[in-house]
Amino acid sequence: MKLLHTIFKFLFKFFFCRDQILEMFDHAYNSYMDYAYPADELMPLSCRGRVRGLEPNRGDIDDSLGKFSLTLIDSLDTLVLLNKLDEFEEAVKKTVQDVRFDNDIVVSVFETNIRVLGGLLGAHVMADVLKQRGERMQWYRDELLHMAKELGYRLLPAFNTTSGLPYPRVNLRYGVVNPLSRTGTESDTCTACAGTMILEFAALSQLSGDPIFEEHARKAMDAFHCGVGAGIDSYYEYLMKAYILLGDKVYLDRFNTHYSAIMKYISQPPLLLNVHMHNPTVNVRSWMDSLLAFFPGLQVLRGDLKPAIETHEMLYQVTKRHNFLPEAFTTEFRVHWGQHPLRPEFAESTYFLYKATGDPYYLKVGQSIVEKLNTHARVPCGFAAVQDVRTGTHEDRMDSFFLAEMFKYLYLLFSEKSQLPINIDDYIFTTEAHLLPVSLSTTQPSCHTNNTEPQAHEDDLFSYSCPSAQTLFPNNPTFAKTIRDSYKYLTGLGRTQQPSPVRWVTCYRFIIEQHLKLVAEVSQTPEHEEVVPLIVQLISPPFLGRTVLTAGPAKFGMDLTKQEHGVKGSIVKSVPYTACGPIENAVEITGHIALALRGDCMFAAKARRLQEAGATGVIFIDHREGSSSAETPLFQMVGDGEPTDDITVPLVFLFSKEGATLSAALQEHHNVDVLLLPKEKQLGKEKPEKLNIKFRIAKEEFAEGEIESTTIQLVLEQSETDTEGASLTGKNQDTCSSPQKDPESSP
Ligand code: DMJ
């Protein structure tokens, strides 16, 4: 039996997958270098580079692109691990020669840290190792480290907050507060975004000798006071790994506190489901996110092998059914959101489980990942993200993490340690799979992956142990199989089995997207879930229904699709404009639709405050300069995780270009009446013959000495029989003689 295992392993490892993975990597990397470099990313369907500003704006995901050859930097240490040392040397030279960071561009602090700063540090460490061996890189003089330090300084302005939590975005040239920065006023960030800095920043401090980076990242970590569910995503990963890298028990204690809560409230093997933060017995939703696939890998590091095997097996069953993990899937394993942007988390966990168990089953899982990528994602110019796993349609994107992470984990899975150019046990993986040496640890006791005996603890064997796969989990394939067998037929493939009854609970990394939805409050709606486009139609003179602004809906507040004639009212700007403090102009707002700027606090908080002040509706306006419905897909605003039943007024969202049109109208005409309604019910569009516009011109009464003014009373009638119209007043209007060229589109 043992001999059979060995033969099986040998066959997989040496004659099949390693070479295939190398060939696939070459295809992806060379496509990027040939068709896209120096752009940030490859567009594999168009066979060209994605340059921000030249392609349609995709919203937040474009914040990863900083005109700094992202994919090249993210790929550097993968080149070393895959033994492509000539290519690595060449790529480092290109990075040093071509990449600049003083770009006037707004980027995500989180993404820039994990992908670019982490990429530079991992590559610097690799360059140093190769140089010390005396065979290559002899010209190298720490150029990548200098670049990393420069980038670190460019990120630091984001940490200039009272809490120490970084702003989500920074302008690489102008920082945050500079009027030229264009970062907006948004200070909301996700826990993962703010709590996934410590590895890179601490490593930068250790390597550069400047403590400022570690100090800031540590302060940001200290700012969290998480209970159940208050933290999320790679924040947990970084607590655990910060302990491994830095040896500071504070991080381990925090991790263990969170982990216990997660396992108590969230884990329902093999599922991990969202619970309400303040009421953890209540479910939040009935679907899971593909990003949870990293969690079994973290559980392996923690030493919690059983739930890791269970959850991983559930995920494998989902990939068997849908080829890839859809971005979100239900507890019945149906597609909730069909996109798959070639995420590496499932491969990551597969690698860690193989390392922990030695079970060749995980090689088989790895092989299936390789095959599916080749069959369903490979295109002539690289690998394309899958737009919908149900149809197999492609999307014109190949994210840099595909090269940074996917190929590392797959290659490691099929490699013997002796085949690697470095001793992999000497390194820890960042969340982007960049390699940082464990030897950076300065605080005792440090963790060394191989030789540390776990320290037994009364309550929990693993609580104070250094994660060492070999020590904690001696190879035991039978143990893993026994656990997996209970979950073999979860998805209904093969024999039928109902998933065990579940508590609807929440997980955390589960969802960077999910988390962003709750914190940034906009939900990229699953593709099959239609976002009903709304409009803000300006109906008072001189607009008379001809200016129509496309608006996004909210998942809470009044459902405008159920209002026969929409909701009408005149608009008043909230003071303060963000509506994050007490409303100072409640008197003016009462009975009107309030305009409020996005940012600084949650949509739900703004809506509540304005509703209490007497507003009959709220139009939120994006604070991100230049955004428009023409370029950014509509999304739905979501609540703050608390019940939102108390919010009954209608809520709509305008991108900043449309918002600017509305604000300009208000500034010019003082009285602007609007209708909030679904686009399909646009007034005067479907049945123009039935739209009667009547004017009554009347003299207002004036006090002696006041200038005479004319009032135009406008009556809009839906039809001859429909007498419910809008009686609106516009003062001192010229005429209706300024027709918009294209009433359908936003100016
Ligand atoms: C990567 O950039 C990192 O793994 C990050 O932590 C999460 N998202 C992507 C991969 O899916």
Side-chain angles (χ1 to χ4, degrees), residues 580-623:
C580 289
I583 305 300
E584 293 164 24
N585 60 339
V587 174
E588 292 93 80
I589 273 184
T590 301
H592 299 288
I593 295 174
L595 299 191
L597 188 68
R598 181 186 175 194
D600 288 356
C601 64
M602 314 289 277
F603 286 129
K606 293 170 196 271
R608 268 192 200 100
R609 210 167 274 130
L610 288 165
Q611 181 176 288
E612 273 163 27
T616 53
V618 183
I619 300 174
F620 295 106
I621 295 180
D622 199 2
H623 60 334

Side-chain angles (χ1 to χ4, degrees), residues 192-255:
C193 303
T196 311
M197 311 295 293
I198 187 69
L199 293 189
E200 292 83 358
F201 271 45
L204 182 56
S205 281
Q206 305 278 343
L207 290 165
S208 70
D210 188 340
I212 192 167
F213 306 107
E214 182 171 349
E215 281 165 15
H216 278 86
R218 183 180 288 264
K219 196 174 161 214
M221 294 286 260
D222 289 347
F224 294 120
H225 300 285
C226 296
V228 178
I232 211 163
D233 182 52
S234 39
Y235 165 59
Y236 293 107
E237 181 184 355
Y238 270 38
L239 282 178
M240 171 58 105
K241 290 183 176 177
Y243 168 63
I244 298 170
L245 189 71
L246 305 171
D248 187 337
K249 199 171 141 300
V250 166
Y251 293 120
L252 182 63
D253 289 343
R254 282 187 202 162
F255 174 84

Side-chain angles (χ1 to χ4, degrees), residues 74 110-111 114-115 196 233-234 237 291 341-345 348 401 405 431-433 509 512:
D74 224 3
F110 164 75
E111 296 290 0
I114 67 168
R115 301 195 199 198
T196 311
D233 182 52
S234 39
E237 181 184 355
L291 281 160
L342 308 180
R343 289 196 190 279
E345 283 80 1
E348 174 184 351
F401 52 68
E405 297 192 65
T431 191
E432 188 78 357
R509 170 164 181 167
I512 241 184

Side-chain angles (χ1 to χ4, degrees), residues 469-677:
Q470 285 150 338
T471 313
L472 294 175
F473 319 117
N475 293 351
N476 187 351
T478 316
F479 168 63
K481 183 172 183 307
T482 316
I483 297 171
R484 282 195 309 266
D485 278 351
S486 333
Y487 299 101
K488 273 264 166 300
Y489 303 102
L490 273 178
T491 66
L493 294 175
R495 78 184 145 86
T496 324
Q497 180 177 316
Q498 294 297 318
S500 51
V502 291
R503 278 178 298 155
W504 303 116
V505 257
T506 280
C507 172
Y508 37 113
R509 170 164 181 167
F510 254 2
I511 315 194
I512 241 184
E513 302 294 343
Q514 184 62 22
H515 187 58
L516 284 170
K517 284 171 199 171
L518 286 175
V519 178
E521 308 167 282
V522 285
S523 93
Q524 263 195 318
T525 303
E527 284 163 18
H528 69 287
E529 192 188 314
E530 203 191 341
V531 177
V532 178
L534 304 176
I535 53 169
V536 175
Q537 188 166 15
L538 282 65
I539 52 177
S540 52
F543 308 102
L544 297 172
R546 291 175 300 204
T547 298
V548 179
L549 307 171
T550 301
K555 285 197 165 180
F556 58 109
M558 180 191 289
D559 183 353
L560 280 165
T561 61
K562 300 206 169 106
Q563 306 301 310
E564 178 96 358
H565 302 295
V567 169
K568 62 186 178 248
S570 57
I571 53 173
V572 175
K573 214 168 185 171
S574 164
V575 180
Y577 193 20
T578 56
C580 289
I583 305 300
E584 293 164 24
N585 60 339
V587 174
E588 292 93 80
I589 273 184
T590 301
H592 299 288
I593 295 174
L595 299 191
L597 188 68
R598 181 186 175 194
D600 288 356
C601 64
M602 314 289 277
F603 286 129
K606 293 170 196 271
R608 268 192 200 100
R609 210 167 274 130
L610 288 165
Q611 181 176 288
E612 273 163 27
T616 53
V618 183
I619 300 174
F620 295 106
I621 295 180
D622 199 2
H623 60 334
R624 301 193 56 203
E625 209 179 290
S627 67
S628 76
S629 65
E631 291 181 348
T632 310
L634 285 182
F635 35 38
Q636 307 192 60
M637 295 177 281
V638 295
D640 53 5
E642 303 288 331
T644 45
D645 300 346
D646 57 315
I647 302 173
T648 53
V649 295
L651 310 167
V652 305
F653 180 86
L654 290 181
F655 287 107
S656 59
K657 280 190 182 165
E658 285 86 347
T661 303
L662 194 60
S663 298
L666 185 59
Q667 204 169 2
E668 199 179 339
H669 303 286
H670 305 298
N671 185 87
V672 176
D673 303 305
V674 298
L675 267 177
L676 311 181
L677 71 171

Side-chain angles (χ1 to χ4, degrees), residues 259-420:
Y259 189 79
S260 307
I262 288 158
M263 295 313 283
K264 184 170 173 190
Y265 295 112
I266 289 168
S267 171
Q268 179 73 28
L271 309 181
L272 294 161
L273 285 166
N274 290 6
V275 283
H276 197 287
M277 185 163 78
H278 300 299
N279 189 357
T281 55
V282 177
N283 67 289
V284 173
R285 59 188 59 82
S286 58
W287 49 271
M288 293 170 271
D289 189 283
S290 71
L291 281 160
L292 74 86
F294 96 108
F295 194 56
L298 188 61
Q299 287 182 306
V300 169
L301 271 188
R302 169 53 167 65
D304 219 353
L305 202 46
K306 185 170 181 287
I309 292 168
E310 291 166 332
T311 300
H312 179 275
E313 182 57 27
M314 177 270 287
L315 296 169
Y316 184 40
Q317 299 299 323
V318 176
T319 67
K320 279 183 170 172
R321 180 160 162 174
H322 301 297
N323 293 325
F324 301 102
L325 288 181
E327 278 294 75
F329 50 92
T330 68
T331 48
E332 286 84 33
F333 312 110
R334 285 196 295 267
V335 173
H336 183 69
W337 180 7
Q339 190 187 31
H340 174 74
L342 308 180
R343 289 196 190 279
E345 283 80 1
F346 182 59
E348 174 184 351
S349 284
T350 305
Y351 163 65
F352 281 112
L353 271 168
Y354 179 60
K355 208 172 161 169
T357 63
D359 188 338
Y361 177 83
Y362 295 107
L363 296 177
K364 207 176 103 186
V365 177
Q367 190 196 3
S368 86
I369 298 174
V370 168
E371 280 169 1
K372 285 178 168 155
L373 284 172
N374 264 330
T375 311
H376 303 289
R378 191 175 179 127
V379 292
C381 282
F383 289 82
V386 177
Q387 196 167 43
D388 193 323
V389 295
R390 290 162 294 194
T391 58
T393 46
H394 286 142
E395 216 182 320
D396 204 2
R397 63 187 270 201
M398 185 180 87
D399 288 69
S400 67
F401 52 68
F402 184 58
L403 287 161
E405 297 192 65
M406 181 71 90
F407 289 105
K408 268 198 199 99
Y409 289 123
L410 288 177
Y411 189 74
L412 283 169
L413 178 64
F414 290 99
S415 298
E416 291 295 324
K417 276 191 197 173
S418 58
Q419 295 172 309
L420 300 171

